[in-house]
Amino acid sequence: MKNFCPENFLILIVDDNPNNLQILHVILETEGYTTIAASNEEDAIERVRLDKPDLIIMALTMPKTSGLELCDHLKSPPPLTTSPIILMRTIREQEYLIEAFEKGAADTITHPFNPAEILARVRTHLELKQTQKQLNRLVQEQEKLTKLLRKLASTDPLTGLWNRRHFLTIGYQEFNRACRYKRSLSILMIDLDNFKQINEEYGHTMGDEVLKGVAKSIVGSLREADYCGRCGGEEFVTLLPETDSAGAMRVAERLRKRLEQITIGIGDKQVQMTVTVGVASYQLDDSNIEVIIQRAHKALYHAKSQGYNRVVLH
């Protein structure tokens, strides 16, 4: 692996034999690794928790506890460490090899020690750990990117509301639920009055701020169970599950009054706005959610023909 630097890794050596500790310390530190030592189980666990070593080398047999038991303790869920563990064994301890791997050991080495073998095995496991860490980071970045792309595909970039396509997907789900359980469902079509005039008089930057302000106010007037989307331009749509026409009219009127009291500004430019709302509710002979949306559109057009800043039920 390119850019492998032993100086970047900390290795914990666990053994009650000071000669083994000294030999491994010299082998590893000469290569550039930093080492720390523990002579018993308690010290080893403390070093793992405090120093978080990148790799652990421990003796298979020790007076108070075995390396197998300590390895099992460190690796049992939830593991105290995800770092690889290499167990030191003698040739006569070959029968413990399978059990060592079952307890969570990544590898074993034999002593008397072969420095070249130790360094090769240590580097191999550290490179594997480094590669796994890089892969995990790439997976996390991929998940974030996928989440971002999913959000971009389903939301309006200016207001953060659902876009028309995703709103219709939600709408069909809620419509099917209303049909199945004979529940209420209502749609509000909301149009910002005289928006073209705002753009012409104050500029598109102010127009964008107004649209974002309207979107925020609409969401603030709804329940968590409600949905809001931007249809395009200055037109918004909300879906109100479990809401009949009377309830939808109350929501629409509350929203209308809230918006006419809001002022949005950039610098010394201040804009007040009003909205006109068309309301339609689910009827038993409706074939799909778009039929309700079309009725809400008709109510909106009818309201616009009578003037602005009003609510009309189809």
Side-chain angles (χ1 to χ4, degrees), residues 187-189 278-280 292-300 314:
I187 293 287
L188 308 184
M189 292 301 306
V279 182
I292 309 175
I293 293 176
Q294 289 172 5
R295 287 207 306 274
H297 257 128
K298 290 180 180 179
L300 176 62
H314 185 275

Side-chain angles (χ1 to χ4, degrees), residues 122-139:
V122 165
R123 174 163 179 162
T124 295
H125 289 291
L126 288 173
E127 285 181 336
L128 286 172
K129 179 183 178 182
Q130 199 170 40
T131 300
Q132 185 62 53
K133 187 176 181 179
Q134 292 170 350
L135 287 174
N136 290 341
R137 185 172 65 251
L138 289 174
V139 169

